Amino acid sequence: MSTQQDTKREHPTGTATSAARDTANGPVDYVVNGHTPLAQRWCALATLHDRIDASLDRALQEGHGLSTREFSLLEVLGRQHSGEGGHLQMKEVAHAVALSQSATTRLVSRMEERGLLSRYICATDRRGIYTDVSPEGTQLLNEARPTNERALHQAFDALELDPELAPLVAVLRTDH
């Protein structure tokens, strides 16, 4: 069984920090201001996501009356095709837009009421219900894409000035 003991270590920045040491498995990680570097990077990533999402949501709402979730749903459904495996089941759509199945179903219903989506029963499996982007939804998606792209670049430009977030922005802007 491993035991942990607290030790004082010199952090790479030169500041003394406490570090837990798992005597069976080696060092755990430095602790700075109560957080490990991994936890700090996770918090930075969450902050980056939240700020970008807020910027995109504001631009899409003002320009097209769409939320980022609605835009994402249109994007996901807009990539469907009539070939083998080209249509997504609701659980796949939910996974793609990072929502629960019930939240995705409610979102699809609201967008269907707005005329942006249409649902139909699968021809080969009467239990399956598929969703397609309507012509109105396709038009709105095509109009919103440049707004989304512009807002994304503006958000990244602003976040690049934050020393904590700049490294993450650089990684996201790198084409691999």
Side-chain angles (χ1 to χ4, degrees), residues 6 9 30 33 37 43 49 51 55 71 91 106 119 145 153 156 162-163 167:
D6 284 336
R9 289 214 180 159
Y30 291 101
N33 298 326
C43 288
H49 173 272
R51 289 187 186 170
S55 294
F71 178 82
K91 66 182 175 187
R106 289 190 301 273
R119 289 190 249 196
R145 279 183 177 136
H153 282 283
F156 275 40
D162 183 323

Side-chain angles (χ1 to χ4, degrees), residues 36-57:
T36 64
L38 180 61
Q40 289 173 328
R41 289 189 299 271
W42 170 247
C43 288
L45 181 61
T47 298
L48 181 72
H49 173 272
D50 291 347
R51 289 187 186 170
I52 291 170
D53 192 57
S55 294
L56 294 176
D57 201 58

Side-chain angles (χ1 to χ4, degrees), residues 25 47 54 65 99 101 104 139 149 162-163:
N25 299 315
T47 298
L99 290 173
Q101 268 189 265
T104 302
Q139 180 179 342
E149 189 71 16
D162 183 323

Side-chain angles (χ1 to χ4, degrees), residues 20-41:
R21 180 165 177 79
D22 182 325
T23 56
N25 299 315
V28 175
D29 214 342
Y30 291 101
V31 178
V32 179
N33 298 326
H35 299 287
T36 64
L38 180 61
Q40 289 173 328
R41 289 189 299 271

Side-chain angles (χ1 to χ4, degrees), residues 29-151:
D29 214 342
Y30 291 101
V31 178
V32 179
N33 298 326
H35 299 287
T36 64
L38 180 61
Q40 289 173 328
R41 289 189 299 271
W42 170 247
C43 288
L45 181 61
T47 298
L48 181 72
H49 173 272
D50 291 347
R51 289 187 186 170
I52 291 170
D53 192 57
S55 294
L56 294 176
D57 201 58
R58 194 170 30 260
L60 289 168
Q61 283 288 353
E62 289 173 4
H64 308 281
L66 286 173
S67 69
T68 53
R69 293 284 189 201
E70 292 167 335
F71 178 82
S72 294
L73 182 60
L74 288 173
E75 277 284 10
V76 166
L77 294 175
R79 291 192 297 262
Q80 295 183 122
H81 55 85
S82 58
E84 181 71 27
H87 276 84
L88 302 172
Q89 295 176 351
M90 195 58 72
K91 66 182 175 187
E92 296 167 316
V93 174
H95 179 75
V97 295
L99 290 173
S100 67
Q101 268 189 265
S102 61
T104 302
T105 299
R106 289 190 301 273
L107 181 59
V108 166
S109 294
R110 286 193 306 272
M111 294 179 72
E112 185 178 33
E113 288 173 11
R114 290 173 56 190
L116 302 175
L117 302 175
S118 61
R119 289 190 249 196
Y120 64 94
I121 295 178
C122 175
T124 59
D125 181 358
R126 305 291 295 166
R127 296 170 297 172
I129 298 175
Y130 291 118
T131 306
D132 273 334
V133 180
S134 70
E136 294 83 1
T138 299
Q139 180 179 342
L140 183 58
L141 176 60
N142 289 335
E143 292 168 0
R145 279 183 177 136
T147 301
N148 185 72
E149 189 71 16
R150 194 170 34 257

